[in-house]
Amino acid sequence: MEGEENKPADSWSDTESTGSSKRVAFSGPLPGPSVAYKRTNSYSSSSTRSTMRIKDDDQYVEITLDVRDDSVSVQNIKGGDSETAMLASRLETKRPTLGSQLSFKLKQVSQELKRMTSSKSFNRIDRTKSGASRALNGLRFMTKNVGSEAWSEIENRFNELAINGELPKSLFARCIGMNESSEFAGELFEALARRRGITSSSITKGELREFWEQISDESFDARLQIFFDMVDKNADGRITGKEVKEIIALSASANKLSKIQDDAEEYAALIMEELDPDNLGYIELYNLEMLLLQAPNQASARNRVTDSRVLSQLLSQKLVPTKEYNPIKRTYRSLRYFVEDNRKRIWVFSLWLAVCAALFAWKFVQYRRRAVFHVMGYCVTTAKGAAETLKFNMAIVLLPVCRNTITWLRSTTKLGAVIPFDDNVNFHKVIAVGIAIGVLLHAGAHLTCDFPKLLHATDAQYEPMKPFFGEVRPNNYWWFVKGTEGWTGVVMVVLMIIAFTLAQPWFRRNRLNLPKIIKRLTGFNAFWYSHHLFIIVYVLFIIHGYYLYLSKKWYKKTTWMYLAVPVLIYACERLIRAFRSGYKTVRISKVAVYPGNVLALQMSKPHGFKYTSGQYIFVNCSAISPFQWHPFSITSAPGDDYLSIHIRTVGDWTSQLKTIFSKVCQPPSVNQSGLLRADIGQSSNKIRLPRLLIDGPYGAPAQDYKQYDVLLLVGLGIGATPLISIVKDVLNNIKEQKDIENGIADKHAKPFVTKRAYFYWVTREQGSFEWFRGVMDEVAENDRDRVIELHNYCTSVYEEGDARSALITMLQDLNHAKNGVDIVSGTRVKTHFARPNWRNVLKRVAINHPDQRVGVFYCGAQGLVGELRRLSQDFSRKTTTKFDFHKENF
């Protein structure tokens, strides 16, 4: 190194002062290319001109700076390129303390220039390639709120949060809108401060503006530099394995990936092995760029191959909604679409309404012609009309919950084409509303109109009423209440109000924040027991219908006639359940407790037990309650020699069940999944387990999957359980077809309809993927023809392209390419981040399967039902692919 004062090559120069002028010189250790630095004094009272020269194979980059008391400006740049100019511009400052600041900036620029010159021998990555183009859109620190409008919001927050005109580091996350990632935002603050030589734990508004401009910079190089600075804690231009480990742990924490956080050291070694093949002990900026731009992305590449770009664009244009300005045409189109989508529901609902209206009108007209009408008027006709609809609704309300009958009808008949069996529970609720309206009209008309008129009737008016109410006219309300007709009616109304109230989702799912004393009276148990008060209600209903005031002949007391057949069918249902569950005691073979409060039970299959994927069973554990039966989807496939269910603990009963089975479990071995496990079949010790009874199987919407060549299965969280059974059934069929081809299985086996299945599983927690890890790996191993396409989504991880998940994406690609295992799910199936774009999902299915019917089966929370149903309808109308939507809510 050569300098005007011949300083040693490895020393920092002191600041020299002559009068009022300051001269700043710098030289530092720069291994590799030669660096020349010369200082030129301009002899002005307050300025110094410094020149730094970088040498590389006879090529120089010379930067001349004009240093004054309150500013530093770049005077001239000789050699270099646009990147050199960008680096040099960072030297410009107007901070008052120039000595340390300029030295710090000169050191940074020298390191950057050294990195540029030392990497000339490496081939520059072609950023026009598809993989690089996608990566260039990544590493976004802010996915929204960028631009001048966003800065005004940031400025307003600064004004609110600033203390004495400065923003503390602890409030930086809130100020820039990273509340949920405060730790990550803290590291971002440190990186930006290091680059500017800021050592304080707070910043001014001007410094915040500089931070924001760099964070929101759209250029990939700027974003890459920030990310590199976050990892490079000591600002030496090199990243060590320890620093990589720290940023992996930080990224895993920001994305709630506890397992990656625990194995951060192992994954840091993987990155160092990939980017530091010469074992130098560090990596540099260009290594990080190469990893980002050239990381393997095979899964997305496969998806793009199957998509026709032109067809996709045409389809997108076709799906753009067209605005209809004519209100008549718009209303007609909306009505037509509604009828097309709900035709089965409409005719059943219309038939029910018509019957109720006909019964009401018949009884209304009948009493309009009787003598009692002249005393009580239209009050009695309304009460009796409502009573007739009550008899009808109290009878048919039992039919939608006759599960065995409905399962038999949907499995063995073609009635599913005209009857919406999937809506049996909804229809049960609709009838319950009809009962509530009937009770309101019947009781209201009697109490507020009929009885007062009778009490105030004249002797002449009361004369025709003597055969019904006695020789002596009632003189008060108590006469009506104490009679059999009265007290039975009052008790029925009270019991109905209790059952109806506790059946509401606010109480049944404990959504209301109630006092503890009241909360104990709500929940599923309260719903279950209160609903069984119907036995008392029906007994009282028959008694109430027999002791009528205005009907004395037995054949006119028709309540028992309405109830006879439905009650008989329901009674047979309950007897069948009790008899069948009595001999269907199962033997537990495996127990596993998984993250996310999930209990998995594998049990023996009772002799003769046959079911279809998508169906469910009821489970009873006498150790908890001999009366309670709870439904759970079957997760095993019909071809398996066992039954399995996965239970999420969300209530009292499921929590007690998990506690009981956890007592017999032990921590898993190295190759096993779960938090606790018990393999009873393989254990030499006899383990005492609670007795389980099962009842079923029962039909569910998902069981209709065999009607479709193409399946789109969507599960949210534990809602994946019935769909996993379908995936396993399709997989077993794949194996069976291979056996037929190899001459092992019977060639006359019944053909399997499904030719393609897409499975999308969306969950919040990384640990959830352990629930079905075995199934995922089995599909990846046996499905060579890619009949089943698996897509796992973890919503706790920030979307692809976000800087907070950038390192997770790199690790995922590296580990999957090297070991064939996804670091998030622990399976062979790569995990996607954030939530799926459902429009793109259905569009891709429509492109791949024109002129075909696709069965869309959804199981999960209610929130996604509307969007999937609307998209299915939209694509069915505007493409040649028809999507039939089926849903099941937990």
Side-chain angles (χ1 to χ4, degrees):
M1 177 161 310
E2 55 186 22
E4 193 175 63
E5 298 187 275
N6 297 320
K7 295 272 184 183
D10 57 350
S11 67
W12 289 87
S13 71
D14 296 324
T15 302
E16 300 180 8
S17 179
T18 304
S20 62
S21 71
K22 295 180 181 179
R23 294 182 297 170
V24 182
F26 165 80
S27 64
L30 293 172
S34 300
V35 179
Y37 219 118
K38 67 182 181 180
R39 196 180 52 218
T40 306
N41 195 341
S42 64
Y43 300 104
S44 66
S45 61
S46 59
S47 68
T48 299
R49 178 167 296 174
S50 297
T51 302
M52 181 173 65
R53 182 178 295 167
I54 307 296
K55 181 180 180 182
D56 179 32
D57 298 333
D58 300 328
Q59 293 183 0
Y60 285 87
V61 177
E62 185 176 294
I63 303 174
T64 303
L65 306 175
D66 185 19
V67 182
R68 298 179 183 273
D69 285 338
D70 59 348
S71 66
V72 176
S73 61
V74 178
Q75 292 293 309
N76 188 28
I77 301 175
K78 294 182 180 179
D81 52 17
S82 59
E83 190 173 2
T84 307
M86 182 188 71
L87 288 170
S89 66
R90 296 179 188 171
L91 290 168
E92 296 187 331
T93 180
K94 293 185 178 181
R95 295 180 64 87
T97 56
L98 289 176
S100 60
Q101 293 297 325
L102 180 59
S103 297
F104 185 83
K105 287 182 174 291
L106 289 172
K107 181 185 177 185
Q108 283 186 318
V109 172
S110 66
Q111 289 169 349
E112 293 289 344
L113 292 172
K114 184 267 296 182
R115 192 270 306 168
M116 292 164 48
T117 55
S118 62
S119 61
K120 295 292 184 183
S121 59
F122 295 94
N123 293 328
R124 189 169 183 83
I125 298 171
D126 184 3
R127 294 185 176 184
T128 62
K129 292 182 178 179
S130 59
S133 300
R134 290 191 306 277
L136 289 173
N137 293 322
L139 266 184
R140 296 188 303 274
F141 288 88
M142 304 303 296
T143 55
K144 56 183 179 179
N145 292 338
V146 294
S148 57
E149 294 182 2
W151 166 246
S152 62
E153 295 181 17
I154 304 298
E155 189 175 21
N156 291 336
R157 290 197 203 118
F158 176 89
N159 295 332
E160 294 175 6
L161 302 174
I163 302 173
N164 297 326
E166 293 191 345
L167 180 73
K169 174 186 171 183
S170 58
L171 299 176
F172 180 68
R174 284 181 59 189
C175 189
I176 65 171
M178 271 193 185
N179 296 347
E180 71 283 1
S181 306
S182 57
E183 189 178 357
F184 188 90
E187 292 295 330
L188 177 60
F189 179 95
E190 292 286 351
L192 294 168
R194 276 197 302 271
R195 174 140 304 262
R196 289 161 178 78
I198 300 174
T199 57
S200 174
S201 60
S202 59
I203 55 175
T204 64
K205 184 185 291 188
E207 290 166 339
L208 177 63
R209 180 64 183 264
E210 291 181 27
F211 282 20
W212 177 252
E213 288 177 352
Q214 189 169 354
I215 292 172
S216 58
D217 194 328
E218 292 296 317
S219 70
F220 178 76
D221 290 306
R223 286 176 272 146
L224 177 64
Q225 185 64 60
I226 297 176
F227 192 76
F228 186 88
D229 290 342
M230 289 182 67
V231 187
D232 184 19
K233 298 292 183 66
N234 57 5
D236 63 352
R238 296 171 177 176
I239 301 176
T240 63
K242 182 180 179 181
E243 291 173 327
V244 172
K245 176 187 173 182
E246 290 176 0
I247 196 67
I248 289 175
L250 178 66
S251 297
S253 174
N255 291 280
K256 300 179 178 64
L257 301 175
S258 57
K259 293 189 176 181
I260 296 179
Q261 195 171 1
D262 295 339
D263 299 331
E265 188 170 354
E266 177 185 342
Y267 292 126
L270 177 66
I271 287 183
M272 295 302 293
E273 178 185 347
E274 177 72 18
L275 300 184
D276 183 26
D278 299 328
N279 294 321
L280 298 175
Y282 62 86
I283 58 177
E284 297 182 283
L285 185 64
Y286 74 89
N287 299 118
L288 192 62
E289 180 184 4
M290 180 175 64
L291 179 64
L292 280 168
L293 299 187
Q294 293 186 338
N297 201 349
Q298 297 173 356
S300 58
R302 282 196 301 265
N303 295 345
R304 286 188 300 278
V305 169
T306 58
D307 286 359
S308 168
R309 203 176 286 268
V310 175
L311 185 59
S312 178
Q313 291 175 353
L314 291 174
L315 188 59
S316 297
Q317 295 172 2
K318 192 174 183 180
L319 289 170
V320 173
T322 55
K323 180 71 174 178
E324 177 59 67
Y325 294 98
N326 188 320
I328 298 177
K329 290 183 178 180
R330 186 168 64 245
T331 303
Y332 170 74
R333 186 176 64 182
S334 299
L335 183 62
R336 180 166 59 87
Y337 286 167
F338 178 81
V339 172
E340 288 177 2
D341 298 330
N342 299 279
R343 57 185 184 279
K344 289 192 288 187
R345 297 185 184 94
I346 289 173
W347 88 261
V348 171
F349 184 73
S350 300
L351 177 63
W352 173 73
L353 276 181
V355 172
C356 289
L359 290 174
F360 184 92
W362 169 56
K363 196 57 75 171
F364 187 94
V365 172
Q366 186 183 83
Y367 273 81
R368 174 70 177 76
R369 296 171 179 170
R370 293 183 61 173
V372 69
F373 175 76
H374 300 291
V375 178
M376 300 181 180
Y378 287 104
C379 300
V380 70
T381 56
T382 301
K384 290 301 179 179
E388 204 67 20
T389 64
L390 268 174
K391 297 175 190 177
F392 172 68
N393 286 326
M394 287 291 286
I396 66 170
V397 76
L398 297 172
L399 298 180
V401 291
C402 292
R403 292 188 291 265
N404 285 298
T405 304
I406 292 176
T407 300
W408 178 77
L409 288 173
R410 74 185 301 162
S411 301
T412 60
T413 69
K414 301 295 184 182
L415 289 176
V418 291
I419 298 177
F421 288 119
D422 293 350
D423 293 317
N424 63 315
V425 175
N426 290 332
F427 189 49
H428 175 78
K429 294 176 181 177
V430 168
I431 298 171
V433 172
I435 291 174
I437 294 173
V439 168
L440 186 66
L441 289 175
H442 179 72
H446 275 322
L447 295 175
T448 63
C449 191
D450 285 353
F451 297 160
K453 283 190 174 184
L454 188 64
L455 292 172
H456 295 89
T458 63
D459 293 339
Q461 291 175 327
Y462 182 74
E463 187 65 27
M465 301 292 101
K466 288 182 178 180
F468 308 110
F469 296 97
E471 292 295 328
V472 181
R473 184 177 55 192
N475 56 1
N476 54 46
Y477 264 92
W478 179 245
W479 188 93
F480 297 103
V481 174
K482 70 180 181 179
T484 304
E485 304 91 330
W487 70 262
T488 54
V490 171
V491 173
M492 276 193 297
V493 169
V494 172
L495 295 179
M496 285 181 177
I497 290 174
I498 293 172
F500 192 85
T501 301
L502 293 178
Q504 301 308 306
W506 311 295
F507 296 100
R508 181 164 50 92
R509 297 182 181 271
N510 275 326
R511 291 177 180 174
L512 296 178
N513 188 16
L514 300 171
K516 289 185 178 180
I517 297 177
I518 300 178
K519 199 163 189 175
R520 290 177 182 175
L521 302 177
T522 62
F524 184 84
N525 288 345
F527 156 75
W528 193 88
Y529 285 114
S530 65
H531 244 58
H532 280 74
L533 294 173
F534 81 93
I535 299 173
I536 301 174
V537 171
Y538 272 91
V539 172
L540 295 175
F541 192 61
I542 293 173
I543 296 173
H544 184 82
Y546 183 78
Y547 290 95
L548 295 177
Y549 291 119
L550 300 175
S551 297
K552 300 301 181 181
K553 296 180 181 179
W554 70 270
Y555 58 86
K556 291 186 176 181
K557 301 175 181 181
T558 57
T559 302
W560 66 272
M561 299 179 187
Y562 279 97
L563 297 181
V565 175
V567 169
L568 180 63
I569 294 175
Y570 186 79
C572 292
E573 281 266 336
R574 298 305 294 255
L575 288 173
I576 291 172
R577 292 186 208 173
F579 175 74
R580 187 169 56 188
S581 62
Y583 72 85
K584 284 187 178 178
T585 303
V586 294
R587 180 176 54 83
I588 306 298
S589 57
K590 287 184 181 180
V591 180
V593 178
Y594 290 109
N597 289 323
V598 170
L599 171 69
L601 299 177
Q602 183 174 305
M603 61 198 83
S604 60
K605 184 191 291 186
H607 179 71
F609 186 88
K610 295 181 180 179
Y611 65 97
T612 300
S613 291
Q615 292 184 329
Y616 64 96
I617 58 174
F618 276 81
V619 177
N620 170 270
C621 180
S622 57
I624 302 174
S625 170
F627 305 109
Q628 292 188 42
W629 292 80
H630 293 261
F632 300 101
S633 297
I634 303 172
T635 53
S636 54
D640 296 333
D641 57 357
Y642 60 86
L643 277 176
S644 68
I645 55 176
H646 286 66
I647 303 169
R648 185 157 199 175
T649 56
V650 292
D652 298 337
W653 190 89
T654 52
S655 297
Q656 293 178 53
L657 188 71
K658 178 189 171 186
T659 301
I660 291 174
F661 278 101
S662 296
K663 293 177 180 178
V664 302
C665 294
Q666 301 292 331
S669 60
V670 177
N671 297 323
Q672 292 180 321
S673 61
L675 302 175
L676 297 170
R677 293 186 69 91
D679 293 336
I680 290 86
Q682 302 175 3
S683 176
S684 57
N685 300 324
K686 190 173 182 180
I687 303 175
R688 186 176 180 84
L689 293 172
R691 179 170 175 260
L692 285 188
L693 299 177
I694 66 170
D695 176 38
Y698 292 110
Q703 77 173 63
D704 295 332
Y705 71 98
K706 290 186 176 181
Q707 301 175 10
Y708 301 94
D709 294 338
V710 182
L711 302 177
L712 176 57
L713 312 174
V714 179
L716 259 60
I718 197 64
T721 47
L723 310 179
I724 281 291
S725 179
I726 296 175
V727 170
K728 292 180 72 174
D729 194 31
V730 175
L731 180 63
N732 288 343
N733 175 72
I734 294 172
K735 293 179 180 178
E736 185 178 344
Q737 294 299 321
K738 290 181 180 178
D739 291 342
I740 293 175
E741 293 173 3
N742 297 329
I744 301 174
D746 183 12
K747 293 184 179 180
H748 301 289
K750 188 176 180 180
F752 199 78
V753 176
T754 303
K755 300 297 186 292
R756 191 84 161 110
Y758 301 87
F759 177 54
Y760 285 80
W761 185 19
V762 184
T763 183
R764 289 194 303 265
E765 303 168 353
Q766 180 187 12
S768 304
F769 294 114
E770 290 192 32
W771 305 347
F772 308 116
R773 190 171 73 184
V775 178
M776 301 288 178
D777 289 338
E778 196 175 358
V779 170
E781 181 179 350
N782 292 281
D783 186 17
R784 302 298 182 188
D785 298 329
R786 290 185 52 76
V787 174
I788 305 171
E789 193 172 293
L790 303 177
H791 297 271
N792 295 336
Y793 281 81
C794 186
T795 58
S796 71
V797 184
Y798 290 95
E799 63 183 343
E800 186 176 349
D802 194 298
R804 287 166 286 190
S805 62
L807 199 62
I808 305 299
T809 305
M810 297 181 214
L811 280 174
Q812 185 186 45
D813 288 332
L814 282 176
N815 197 68
H816 200 275
K818 183 177 180 180
N819 304 316
V821 177
D822 181 68
I823 62 171
V824 177
S825 66
T827 69
R828 300 183 187 182
V829 182
K830 290 187 71 173
T831 303
H832 306 278
F833 302 150
R835 289 174 173 79
N837 183 322
W838 295 113
R839 174 169 285 274
N840 288 344
V841 169
L842 268 73
K843 182 173 76 171
R844 181 166 170 266
V845 174
I847 291 170
N848 292 341
H849 305 282
D851 303 313
Q852 288 185 277
R853 285 178 67 237
V854 178
V856 182
F857 294 90
Y858 169 74
C859 186
Q862 180 69 27
L864 192 57
V865 171
E867 181 180 0
L868 287 178
R869 176 182 281 127
R870 177 174 47 79
L871 288 172
S872 298
Q873 296 166 355
D874 202 21
F875 276 83
S876 296
R877 298 181 190 117
K878 298 181 178 180
T879 70
T880 59
T881 307
K882 303 305 175 187
F883 293 86
D884 294 340
F885 180 72
H886 308 262
K887 61 97 175 177
E888 183 176 352
N889 299 128
F890 281 172

